[in-house]
């Protein structure tokens, strides 16, 4: 990843050619092109450099400057070339000067922009530069139990604007998901981010200010094209704006202690509330935070061409009891996979388990230590082979209520057939019809497996149910009154 970042830096920032980058890195030109052009990985007012003698080009210099300044926000592949600038001046502004004068000025302008950028010492509040930090808070779930939460704050010191997102952890998935939520909400990406040396972003601290980044954070940076600065150890004052913002947002957004059951919905509400908070007056300037933010957002980088999907893979071995352990929580898979290695695709809020490239199941991600999370459906193949143990399993009370009662009345082959039918219903993706099929069979007074299966088919495939017979005319009424005395004599042995 460090090598890829270096290629991207040489191409985007240093504006080196592919051949030059190939020579510098020792890599083939094909490899260099791959990472220089890759877009799915997932500054400030410059002094006036207007020359003294450009009599024809002079009135158009402000326009050229604007195009070149805006190009800083865009990927290099979509920046203006000298030829494109020249044609736009002709077509859109009626420029009648020479191509060479345009080329001369653009070359000088770019040189000055590059020189000033490389020698730039950050101001205390440069626009489009953000700070990031986590803060702890308390919340209740819908059952009234209290939990420790983690609030991610992204603040912009120039305008003093800030946005909050809350999670159940400070892991890398939560960090990147929170950043992505804020980026898409504000419609752009900060030029630079300043944060602590958090383990989710920094793999190793090197000499001075150099850092070896984690693979996930490096990919996220490459796709969104922002730069990152990391504070010196024990130097929270280097990001004082966000430190203050953590306390401010916690007091104003999380008091009284919130009840959070749906983090996604709560985070959407938080973004709206943060927007509303920007109507207050800036602590130093006379205008509002919202007014200053409208100026600052013009300096943001554009959003990436592809949306970054925040996840990471982890390989896990399934235990004898069918559990896979991720972050000290156990997730129930089929015991049939005992000893097998499965792939866990970790999102901030869920985990998807795969085996042999096939999706096994999806669980809500647990952040509790030593918690066992199971799903009765994963154990059906094993229960079909061992039907006698169904009532003694830990997940029996997870099964559909009517089926719990029905299985208790069955034994042996009858229970095995019932579990086989239940597995068929689940594999069809019709778990919601389990109790309905059993209830319908009960209404007909038939609780054998064949009858339950027929009721399930009626519910799952209503298009195959025959329509009632519609008669075109009323049937004739027959006056049929048979004499059964002869039959009675025959039965009684009296008839000849």
């Amino acid at each position: 990843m460090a090598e890829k970042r270096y290629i991207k830096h040489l191409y985007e920032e240093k504006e080196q050619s592919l051949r030059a980058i190939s020579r510098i890195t020792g890599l083939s030109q094909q490899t260099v092109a791959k990472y220089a052009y890759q877009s799915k990985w997932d500054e400030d007012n410059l002094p006036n450099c207007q020359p003294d003698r450009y009599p024809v080009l002079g009135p158009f210099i402000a326009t050229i400057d604007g195009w070149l300044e805006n190009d800083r926000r865009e990927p290099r592949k979509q920046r203006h070339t000298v030829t494109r600038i020249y044609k736009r001046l002709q077509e859109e502004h009626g420029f009648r000067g020479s191509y060479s004068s345009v080329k001369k000025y653009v070359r000088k302008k770019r040189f000055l922009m590059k020189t000033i950028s490389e020698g730039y010492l950050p101001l205390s509040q440069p626009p489009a530069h953000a700070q990031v930090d986590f803060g702890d808070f308390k919340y209740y779930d819908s059952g009234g139990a209290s939990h420790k939460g983690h609030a991610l704050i992204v603040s912009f010191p120039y305008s003093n604007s800030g946005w909050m997102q809350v999670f159940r952890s400070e892991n890398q998935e939560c960090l990147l998901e929170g950043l992505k939520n804020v980026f898409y909400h504000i419609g752009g990406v900060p030029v630079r981010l300043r944060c602590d040396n958090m383990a989710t972003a920094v793999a190793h601290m090197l000499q001075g200010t150099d850092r070896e980044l984690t693979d996930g954070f490096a990919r996220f940076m490459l796709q969104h094209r922002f730069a990152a600065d990391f504070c010196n150890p024990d130097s929270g004052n280097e990001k004082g704006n966000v430190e203050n913002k953590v306390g401010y947002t916690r007091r104003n957004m999380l008091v009284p202690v919130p009840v959070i059951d749906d983090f996604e919905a709560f985070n959407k509400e938080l973004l709206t509330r943060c927007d509303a908070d920007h109507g207050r007056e800036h602590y130093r300037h006379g205008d509002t935070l919202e007014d200053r933010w409208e100026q600052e957002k013009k300096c943001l980088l554009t959003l990436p061409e592809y949306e970054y999907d925040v996840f990471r893979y982890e390989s896990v071995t399934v235990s004898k009891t069918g559990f896979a352990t991720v972050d000290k929580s156990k997730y129930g898979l089929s015991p049939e996979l005992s000893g097998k290695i499965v792939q866990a695709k970790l999102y901030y809020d869920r985990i998807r388990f795969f085996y042999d490239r096939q999706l096994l199941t999806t669980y809500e991600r647990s952040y509790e230590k030593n918690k066992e999370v199971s799903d009765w459906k994963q154990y059906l193949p094993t229960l079909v082979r061992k039907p006698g143990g169904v009532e003694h399993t830990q997940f029996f009370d997870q099964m559909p209520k009517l089926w719990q009662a029905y299985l208790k009345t069955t034994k042996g082959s009858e229970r095995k057939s019932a579990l086989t039918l239940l597995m068929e219903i689940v594999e069809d993706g019709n778990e919601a019809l389990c109790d309905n099929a059993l209830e319908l069979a009960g209404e007909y007074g038939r609780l054998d497996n064949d009858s339950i299966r027929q009721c399930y088919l009626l519910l799952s495939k209503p298009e195959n149910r025959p329509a009632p017979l519609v008669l075109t005319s009323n049937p004739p009424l027959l006056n049929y009154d048979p004499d059964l005395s002869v039959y009675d004599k025959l039965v009684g042995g009296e008839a000849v």
Side-chain angles (χ1 to χ4, degrees), residues 343-408:
Q343 285 70 47
K345 191 175 185 180
L346 281 69
Y347 295 84
Y348 82 98
D349 59 346
R350 66 193 186 279
I351 301 179
R352 306 182 74 193
F353 288 96
F354 293 84
Y355 177 69
D356 195 21
R357 298 183 178 273
Q358 299 296 317
L359 177 64
L360 297 175
T361 188
T362 301
Y363 281 112
E364 181 180 351
R365 186 169 181 176
S366 171
Y367 288 97
E368 299 180 34
K369 293 183 179 179
N370 303 317
K371 181 177 180 179
E372 289 189 358
V373 183
S374 59
D375 182 356
W376 63 274
K377 298 186 292 295
Q378 296 298 313
Y379 291 85
L380 282 175
T382 305
L383 289 176
V384 170
R385 292 192 297 105
K386 300 178 179 181
V390 64
E391 298 176 61
H392 308 290
T393 60
Q394 298 178 358
F395 50 82
F396 181 67
D397 58 353
Q398 296 179 12
M399 301 177 75
K401 297 299 182 183
L402 293 183
W403 278 85
Q404 292 180 37
Y406 173 63
L407 289 171
K408 289 179 180 179

Side-chain angles (χ1 to χ4, degrees), residues 79-108:
R79 295 175 185 171
H80 285 82
T81 62
V82 175
T83 300
R84 181 59 182 151
I85 291 174
Y86 178 64
K87 288 184 177 180
R88 285 194 65 184
L89 289 175
Q90 286 184 316
E91 296 170 359
E92 300 175 20
H93 300 276
F95 178 65
R96 294 294 178 263
S98 67
Y99 172 84
S100 60
S101 64
V102 175
K103 181 179 180 180
K104 181 179 178 182
Y105 175 73
V106 170
R107 182 177 295 177
K108 181 174 181 179

Side-chain angles (χ1 to χ4, degrees), residues 176-401:
L176 301 185
E177 188 71 25
L179 290 175
K180 189 178 82 167
N181 289 348
V182 172
F183 293 170
Y184 277 83
H185 179 73
I186 64 178
V189 180
V191 175
R192 304 188 76 87
L193 281 181
R194 174 171 286 275
C195 52
D196 288 327
N197 297 285
M198 52 185 72
T200 53
V202 177
H204 299 287
M205 295 180 63
L206 305 178
Q207 187 175 6
T209 58
D210 292 336
R211 302 290 187 269
E212 180 182 336
L213 303 182
T214 59
D215 186 76
F217 189 79
R219 290 179 182 276
F220 188 80
M221 280 182 60
L222 284 170
Q223 182 142 336
H224 292 84
R225 299 184 299 111
F226 66 84
D229 297 321
F230 298 93
C231 299
N232 291 310
D234 303 319
S235 301
N237 60 295
E238 295 181 2
K239 54 179 181 58
N241 182 267
V242 74
E243 295 276 354
N244 293 330
K245 190 71 71 176
V246 168
Y248 175 84
T249 50
R250 184 165 45 203
R251 292 189 298 271
N252 289 273
M253 305 289 176
L254 301 175
V255 175
V257 177
V259 176
I260 308 177
D261 197 39
D262 185 340
F263 274 79
E264 183 176 358
F266 190 79
N267 277 331
K268 289 181 179 178
E269 179 186 346
L270 275 178
L271 293 173
T272 303
R273 291 172 61 188
C274 289
D275 289 339
D277 179 67
H278 296 158
R280 57 192 172 91
E281 186 175 329
H282 192 277
Y283 68 94
R284 180 179 298 173
H285 305 279
D287 50 359
T288 65
L289 274 62
E290 184 176 5
D291 292 335
R292 292 184 64 82
W293 172 247
E294 288 300 319
Q295 303 171 25
E296 184 172 17
K297 66 189 290 187
K298 297 175 183 178
C299 300
L300 296 174
L301 301 173
T302 55
L303 292 168
E305 181 181 0
Y306 304 99
E307 183 174 343
Y308 191 91
D309 194 11
V310 179
F311 68 87
R312 64 180 174 90
Y313 277 112
E314 188 172 310
S315 296
V316 189
T317 302
V318 181
S319 69
K320 293 182 179 179
T321 53
F323 281 93
T325 302
V326 178
D327 294 337
K328 298 183 179 180
S329 289
K330 297 180 179 180
Y331 298 87
L333 304 177
S334 173
E336 307 286 326
L337 295 171
S338 174
K340 304 291 186 183
I341 296 178
V342 297
Q343 285 70 47
K345 191 175 185 180
L346 281 69
Y347 295 84
Y348 82 98
D349 59 346
R350 66 193 186 279
I351 301 179
R352 306 182 74 193
F353 288 96
F354 293 84
Y355 177 69
D356 195 21
R357 298 183 178 273
Q358 299 296 317
L359 177 64
L360 297 175
T361 188
T362 301
Y363 281 112
E364 181 180 351
R365 186 169 181 176
S366 171
Y367 288 97
E368 299 180 34
K369 293 183 179 179
N370 303 317
K371 181 177 180 179
E372 289 189 358
V373 183
S374 59
D375 182 356
W376 63 274
K377 298 186 292 295
Q378 296 298 313
Y379 291 85
L380 282 175
T382 305
L383 289 176
V384 170
R385 292 192 297 105
K386 300 178 179 181
V390 64
E391 298 176 61
H392 308 290
T393 60
Q394 298 178 358
F395 50 82
F396 181 67
D397 58 353
Q398 296 179 12
M399 301 177 75
K401 297 299 182 183

Side-chain angles (χ1 to χ4, degrees), residues 3-4 7-8 11 18 21 27-41 77 219 222:
E3 205 163 32
K4 295 174 186 176
I7 291 171
K8 198 71 171 177
Y11 180 74
L18 298 180
I21 298 174
L27 300 173
S28 69
Q29 198 162 328
Q30 183 179 6
T31 301
V32 168
K34 175 181 177 182
Y35 296 113
Y37 294 152
Q38 186 167 331
S39 57
K40 191 179 189 311
W41 302 83
K77 290 188 297 184
R219 290 179 182 276
L222 284 170

